[in-house]
Amino acid sequence: MSRFYYYLILINMAANIIASVPVILLNHHKDGAVSSMLISIVVGIILVIVYTRFFNSFPGMTLPELLKKTTVKWFYQPFVFFLAVIWFIAGLITLITFTFLLIRFLTPQMPIIQISLTIILSVIFGCLMKTERVLYTVELILLITIPLILYIFFKAYSSDNLQWDFVKEAALYVNQMPNFNAFSASFYLFLGSANLFLFNRFFTEKQNFGWKQIIIIAFISITTLFTTYFIPIGFNGFENINELIYPWIATSDSLRMEFFIIERVLFVFLLFYLGIAFLSILVHWHVSMEFLKFVFKLDNIKYKENIIGKFFPIPFFIGISLFCVRQLNEYELFRYTTYFYNVLVFIFPVMVVLFFFIKRRMKYAK
């Protein structure tokens, strides 16, 4: 498989390590978080395999193009618009989460609108780039940030403050019945493959996707989930871990780099993770904008041979984002995010039926 395919999966997993997913999982640390994660690994990997093999059957084609060839207009246009809304909300959740993180830990005196607007403007015009340029941007930032973040995780695993007894105590709750909220939060980490709905246009040749690639994805997902859930418990204890708003921030603040310019890992961790958040929003909103361009045929709106239609979604993206940043607090954000994840659990598996339908119709499509 192309390395860019792994980037799409990795970004979705990495961006949620310190966002809402660990908070939701740790809230259910005594009532089914571990068993929910195990089930999500099985279901999530099956979903990744099905999605990847489906789009591998149609190199270079996006989901809207396939829908246009195989379904009627009254179905595919509202459906693609619905997908655009989902991808916009996914990016919006990351945006609001990191805005709250910045104002709480790095820039407490700065107005929240100014922080969020800075992130939005740095992302939104990147979303208008061509898909291949978005992927090259993703690769460049990942090459800079991922090694340093992996080094921080290595520091966490090798730290004397990591108490494996707490981890073992948490693992003993594997016999609890799975919790739906915990399952949906874990399942969300696997939805990076859904970005193939649009980014499949980049993969114009059939990719090699066999057991080796599946094992790599399984290894990455298991490692990510284990790190997301068990490492904060190992540093902060098991009993009251659900009272932390940002468990990974408390964890990173327990680490020190004695021979680095900045000793507290927290500040380095936040800055590098801001890069991952930037990529996550960039990918989600790029997909959302491309879906909107397809639904409303924005590329056909021109002024003196210049396409101006692609700029039309920008005011809506900025306006809705700033409104939500002002209206929500952290607890409401986590609650609504939980609802969002729960809805996705029903939507994305059901799409497998749609894929089966498309595959049959494509045999007769021109």
Side-chain angles (χ1 to χ4, degrees):
M1 271 320 261
S2 166
R3 64 186 186 279
F4 294 100
Y5 166 79
Y6 295 106
Y7 295 160
L8 296 175
I9 292 179
L10 188 62
I11 288 170
N12 203 59
M13 291 186 177
N16 286 284
I17 285 182
I18 66 170
S20 307
V21 172
V23 178
I24 297 170
L25 289 177
L26 294 170
N27 274 334
H28 300 286
H29 63 303
K30 288 186 178 178
D31 58 345
V34 179
S35 54
S36 301
M37 287 193 294
L38 292 175
I39 296 174
S40 74
I41 289 170
V42 176
V43 178
I45 291 175
I46 291 173
L47 191 85
V48 170
I49 295 170
V50 172
Y51 274 35
T52 306
R53 288 193 169 163
F54 171 76
F55 283 102
N56 212 9
S57 304
F58 306 105
M61 294 192 72
T62 65
L63 182 63
E65 290 167 347
L66 290 169
L67 288 171
K68 189 175 182 180
K69 282 180 172 291
T70 56
T71 59
V72 291
K73 189 175 181 180
W74 64 262
F75 171 77
Y76 73 75
Q77 285 202 333
F79 184 70
V80 175
F81 179 76
F82 174 66
L83 293 178
V85 173
I86 288 179
W87 258 261
F88 170 72
I89 294 174
L92 180 64
I93 288 172
T94 308
L95 169 74
I96 299 174
T97 302
F98 279 85
T99 300
F100 288 160
L101 278 171
L102 289 176
I103 203 166
R104 181 181 279 266
F105 296 103
L106 286 182
T107 55
Q109 303 299 325
M110 188 179 288
I112 192 168
I113 291 295
Q114 190 173 337
I115 295 175
S116 55
L117 196 57
T118 303
I119 301 175
I120 292 169
L121 293 179
S122 61
V123 170
I124 205 158
F125 287 103
C127 300
L128 298 173
M129 293 188 299
K130 292 182 178 178
T131 299
E132 56 267 28
R133 290 184 181 176
V134 171
L135 285 173
Y136 295 144
T137 305
V138 167
E139 182 175 49
L140 179 64
I141 297 178
L142 278 182
L143 288 176
I144 297 171
T145 55
I146 284 293
L148 295 165
I149 290 174
L150 288 177
Y151 174 70
I152 293 172
F153 287 156
F154 170 75
K155 290 285 290 182
Y157 275 100
S158 60
S159 172
D160 294 333
N161 296 325
L162 178 62
Q163 300 297 317
W164 286 99
D165 288 340
F166 291 139
V167 175
K168 293 174 185 175
E169 183 183 357
L172 290 176
Y173 283 80
V174 68
N175 57 354
Q176 297 295 307
M177 287 292 289
N179 179 279
F180 183 66
N181 289 341
F183 170 75
S184 60
S186 309
F187 180 72
Y188 182 72
L189 294 182
F190 295 88
L191 295 184
S193 59
N195 287 313
L196 286 173
F197 287 10
L198 179 87
F199 282 95
N200 196 50
R201 69 167 48 151
F202 180 80
F203 306 106
T204 53
E205 296 180 0
K206 198 164 186 175
Q207 305 288 307
N208 180 28
F209 186 74
W211 284 109
K212 180 183 172 184
Q213 289 73 26
I214 294 170
I215 290 171
I216 291 173
I217 292 169
F219 174 76
I220 294 172
S221 58
I222 292 170
T223 306
T224 305
L225 267 177
F226 185 90
T227 305
T228 303
Y229 180 72
F230 287 105
I231 296 303
I233 290 176
F235 275 88
N236 301 288
F238 181 69
E239 285 301 323
N240 299 314
I241 188 67
N242 56 323
E243 295 181 5
L244 294 176
I245 299 176
Y246 296 108
W248 256 100
I249 299 300
T251 302
S252 62
D253 206 22
S254 304
L255 300 172
R256 294 288 184 275
M257 292 193 293
E258 295 82 2
F259 305 109
F260 199 60
I261 299 173
I262 302 172
E263 185 180 342
R264 291 181 70 181
V265 170
L266 169 65
F267 299 120
V268 182
F269 187 70
L270 274 177
L271 287 174
F272 288 135
Y273 240 91
L274 186 61
I276 299 294
F278 170 84
L279 294 182
S280 178
I281 304 168
L282 175 66
V283 168
H284 283 123
W285 283 7
H286 175 71
V287 175
S288 180
M289 283 195 178
E290 291 297 312
F291 284 166
L292 291 175
K293 284 165 67 176
F294 176 83
V295 173
F296 298 107
K297 296 180 173 55
L298 297 179
D299 283 342
N300 295 336
I301 304 174
K302 297 180 180 179
Y303 178 73
K304 294 183 178 179
E305 300 303 320
N306 296 315
I307 300 173
I308 60 171
K310 63 181 181 181
F311 298 107
F312 286 4
I314 292 179
F316 296 98
F317 276 53
I318 296 176
I320 295 171
S321 300
L322 295 181
F323 174 79
C324 292
V325 165
R326 285 296 301 269
Q327 294 299 316
L328 295 177
N329 58 43
E330 287 160 325
Y331 295 100
E332 290 172 334
L333 173 66
F334 292 140
R335 189 169 75 248
Y336 293 136
T337 302
T338 303
Y339 298 156
F340 179 66
Y341 291 162
N342 290 347
V343 171
L344 298 186
V345 167
F346 295 100
I347 294 174
F348 284 91
V350 170
M351 282 192 194
V352 175
V353 179
L354 179 63
F355 292 166
F356 180 74
F357 176 81
I358 291 173
K359 205 159 187 175
R360 284 182 61 87
R361 284 293 186 94
M362 282 299 288
K363 292 178 182 176
Y364 311 104
K366 294 180 181 179

